[in-house]
Amino acid sequence: MAGHPVLETMLPMNGTAARDPWMDEAEETGFVRAAQHGDRAAFLALTRYYLPSVYRVVYALTCSREDTLDLTLDTFARAWKGIQYLSSGQPFYVWITRIARNLCVSHQRRRSSATDADSASPADERPAGEPDRQCARAFMSLSSAHQHALALRVVERLNYLEIAKTLDLSVGGVIQRVSSARAALQGLLSGTGKDAS
């Protein structure tokens, strides 16, 4: 975390539980409109509120603190540059997590094409015990669609309707995706299966 003093003060690094990802709608709308007119303080308010949630989702998708910091910062930098494209009425959380997910997918593609079989995987960077590394490796073997759905359900503790809004799926589609992601993860951990995307 050294070198990121703003992030250090904004991120709950003590294992605190995920909070409600949705800011009050009227308050969020005011901040978004002001940010769309160039108000940096309004965008900073959005960043302060949503940064911990975005950080947790990105970390769940990368299993690397260094990559998570870079990708989280890049997510908010891109959001600031593109805030004028956020549609009226679209929740900021949905939009910002889509940016984060797309950056993670691109990052994983670049990383997998740039590394060879002897390179350390992101899961190996994680300072944890062997069961945690095994779980992280299995999670990273899931399709990006399964990773994101599971991260939103397990890490962010969103309900199925909130995940449906975030992923632009039906609630039934979300239930099916989370269920198949859990089954795929369980299969990978037991050594009996592969991710069936």
Side-chain angles (χ1 to χ4, degrees):
M1 293 293 299
H4 296 283
V6 174
L7 287 179
E8 289 174 1
T9 63
M10 296 169 87
L11 291 173
M13 300 305 290
N14 60 359
T16 57
R19 65 177 169 173
D20 182 13
W22 308 98
M23 181 183 276
D24 175 72
E25 187 177 346
E27 184 179 22
E28 179 181 288
T29 300
F31 285 137
V32 167
R33 284 186 182 147
Q36 287 176 324
H37 288 95
D39 185 341
R40 290 180 183 265
F43 189 78
L44 182 59
L46 291 166
T47 301
R48 285 187 189 280
Y49 190 85
Y50 289 108
L51 186 101
S53 295
V54 171
Y55 179 91
R56 284 188 301 269
V57 169
V58 172
Y59 185 76
L61 296 174
T62 64
C63 294
S64 165
R65 292 199 189 280
E66 183 177 309
D67 290 343
T68 299
L69 289 172
D70 292 342
L71 291 167
T72 300
L73 289 172
D74 197 17
T75 296
F76 283 95
R78 288 183 186 215
W80 172 246
K81 287 179 185 174
I83 190 76
Q84 70 274 11
Y85 300 111
L86 177 59
S87 302
S88 177
Q90 182 182 14
F92 187 81
Y93 179 79
V94 170
W95 184 67
I96 196 80
T97 55
R98 282 189 189 151
I99 293 171
R101 178 180 182 264
N102 290 340
L103 286 172
C104 288
V105 168
S106 296
H107 176 75
Q108 289 169 348
R109 283 186 189 140
R110 281 192 309 273
R111 175 172 255 181
S112 66
S113 67
T115 59
D116 56 43
D118 296 331
S119 297
S121 71
D124 293 333
E125 297 173 17
R126 188 173 175 196
E130 182 54 34
D132 286 342
R133 282 195 294 274
Q134 181 184 7
C135 186
R137 281 192 298 270
F139 182 81
M140 296 306 287
S141 297
L142 295 174
S143 70
S144 63
H146 280 163
Q147 287 177 9
H148 199 210
L150 210 51
L152 292 173
R153 182 71 178 145
V154 176
V155 177
E156 282 301 296
R157 300 178 185 164
L158 299 184
N159 65 42
Y160 292 118
L161 180 59
E162 292 167 333
I163 297 170
K165 287 181 189 176
T166 303
L167 299 180
D168 197 25
L169 295 171
S170 68
V171 172
V174 168
I175 292 169
Q176 187 279 328
R177 187 171 292 178
V178 170
S179 177
S180 65
R182 285 180 173 156
L185 185 60
Q186 187 173 24
L188 289 166
L189 289 171
S190 68
T192 62
K194 294 178 111 179
D195 181 21
S197 306

